[in-house]
Amino acid sequence: MFSNSSISPPSTLTQETPLISPIETCESMHQLKQIHSQTIKLGLLTNPTVQNKLVTFCCSEKGDMKYACKVFRKIPRPSVCLWNTMIKGYSRIDSHKNGVLIYLDMLKSDVRPDNYTFPFLLKGFTRDIAVEFGKELHCHVLKFGFDSSVFVQNALISTYCLCGEVDMARGIFDVSYKDDVVTWNAMFSGYKRVKQFDETRKLFGEMERKGVLPTSVTIVLVLSACAKLKDLDVGKRAHRYVKECKIVPNLILENALTDMYAACGEMGFALEIFGNIKNKDVISWTAIVTGYINRGQVDMARQYFDQMPERDYVLWTAMIDGYLRVNRFREALTLFREMQTSNIRPDEFTIVSILTACANLGALELGEWVKTYIDKNKVKNDIFVGNALIDMYCKCGDVEKAQRVFREMLRKDKFTWTAMIVGLAINGHGDKSLDMFSQMLRASIIPDEVTYVGVLSACTHTGMVDEGREYFADMTIQHGIEPNEAHYGCMVDLLGRAGHLNEALEVIKNMPMKPNSIVWGALLGACRVHRDAEMAEMAAKQILELDPDNEAVYVLLCNIYAACNRWDNFRELRQMILDRGIKKTPGCSMIEMNGVVHEFVAGDKSHPQTKEIYLKLDEMTSDLKFVGYMPDISEVFLDVGEEDKERAVYQHSEKLAMAFGLISSGPGVTIRIVKNLRMCVDCHRMAKLVSMVYDREVIVRDKTRFHHFKHGSCSCKDYW
């Protein structure tokens, strides 16, 4: 093709070299090298046009930058155009440092940059390169007088946004001409990068007032901000431009529209756009699934999740989080097992979600497996994973392992310290919890509202009234934290349980905000402990005004009347409960065995091992009666005989869980139970005896605290 006979000799060449056309139609470096050899043979290499074409091809997609550099270095005095071509070539292959170096070589060769140099140079910078060279190159822009070039301005805006210096980018934007939509898009991209979505919304309003028509890139960036802000109005305005400006929809734009409507809860619009997408990808499906998750419609989300042709780890994690949001922790763990069988590798966010589910279910075995998985598979064990591990161990009653994780963490934040303080408190280690708080202050970690809830809880669970008063005062005086309802609830609980009922009532009366049902509930609970029926009636009345359907109040007040032998009041309230159709929330207890969480309700006979469980329960009751156990029916207010009351207590959910734990585990294995309600007096007494007779540690996490039963006693010292 390129034989000598097909090329004119040098003496007959016209001004336009005949080799230029073959270079322009060249398809590969192999062909280019053939042409290059012909230019050398024919003495055409000094021709500027040939030089330009050779270097340009080598810097293109089909070219080779190493070869381009060899050709370029042979050119004695390259023009600024050739220098720019080389800079652009390095930018194309993301070799930005080489681009900067060749720019410096250009300056050393006394060649001044032009309008194209800096856009080529800055285009596609990585964050590290932008941080290293961005400001220095900005100085060069000013030095050579290109600061008014719209292309250079756009490149500088993108560079500063890449560095995270969005204010510097905005400064350049504000002095730019703003007639080019690319300039606006660069600024929108910068705000998205630093998650300043409200600034994107404001900037879009300015763009509309300026009359600059958006592109599909603009619309996608604005819709993304609207999805984060849940701003349906601005999102709809952006959508109108798609039709008015006749912007041709593409998959990215359709996904952005679907996501915006789904994020704003407009699932009808989202599904309409989703249905019209011809080639749906994982992002399209994710928008719908997460839209339903955000609305709490987890079952609808699961329907679309199951239909997806492919699912990445992000979507699996989102679906797991959806179950967590509606407290369906067992389903979250089941889905995680499906994720594993699908060979989808979880990341640190998935791990945090699973540890949260384990914490809420008291599933220590599975939590331990997750910890092993983290170590074995080198999952990023960051501060969030560490905090989740501490929370999981504490909520499963294994404080020692929580402390070990705490000690091994290289970096700790206030959430780490708070998780440990709260964990120690609810497990009955009040002194250790307060000592941990002192260490936190010595480490110059500033506590927040949640930290002080943990501190006050530590005082409450251990009856440290004077210390609680001091901490309550220090919270405002030393750290400027104004007490909220949770803090007042802790103080009322602390004072009430210690028998200072009148002082607790004064705290409620002096609250700067209206007390909620939790605060009054703390007082009502204290009235149960100290059998003060009159104050209990007053507290119950206040709660029912705030929450008329709170069945727990009626139950607790009935228990108080029964304990105080006020049977007329008891029967009157009992009749009211029947007339209003109020039903007590059924007790539910969960226990994990061999990585599976088993759930029991009072009188449950649905478990596959029901027969063995009830046989063990009979055996348990017989063994415990031998050492003095007598059923305590003081909190049973059914209008039935004593024998039926004993049977009702006998079938409580935590007793069934204990029986199952005894038949499903070997000697010495700790039995861990999570209950949805406060533990009753009889179950508390039985658990103490089980720990003694069977030499087992029994840990029960009820609605308010942990009970560690060991050798016939409880960590709460019967103070609950």
Side-chain angles (χ1 to χ4, degrees), residues 320 323-324 328-337 354 357:
I320 289 168
Y323 282 124
L324 295 185
R328 287 161 64 172
F329 305 111
R330 294 179 69 186
E331 286 162 284
L333 294 185
T334 301
L335 188 61
F336 178 63
R337 291 190 182 95
I354 295 306

Side-chain angles (χ1 to χ4, degrees), residues 586-591 597-602 604 652-658 673-677 700-701:
C588 173
S589 295
M590 290 177 290
I591 180 170
V597 177
H598 301 262
E599 191 171 350
F600 296 92
V601 295
D604 197 346
H652 276 187
S653 62
E654 54 265 64
K655 290 190 178 75
L656 296 174
M658 272 189 275
I673 297 168
V674 175
K675 185 172 182 186
N676 64 329
L677 303 175
V700 179
R701 187 180 92 202

Side-chain angles (χ1 to χ4, degrees), residues 50 81 139 162 195 273 308 349 426 432 486 516 586 701 706:
V50 173
C81 179
C139 293
L162 196 62
K195 296 180 172 54
I273 296 165
M308 290 183 65
F349 300 105
I426 62 175
K432 290 181 179 179
N516 60 17
R701 187 180 92 202
F706 272 87

Side-chain angles (χ1 to χ4, degrees), residues 459-498:
C459 297
T460 300
H461 289 311
T462 47
M464 293 186 283
V465 176
D466 293 335
E467 292 86 343
R469 291 191 185 105
E470 289 180 18
Y471 284 119
F472 188 76
D474 289 346
M475 181 171 62
T476 304
I477 297 168
Q478 293 191 10
H479 296 107
I481 299 171
E482 291 298 323
N484 57 32
E485 289 94 335
H487 301 116
Y488 281 106
C490 287
M491 283 305 296
V492 170
D493 198 20
L494 170 65
L495 294 167
R497 289 178 186 275

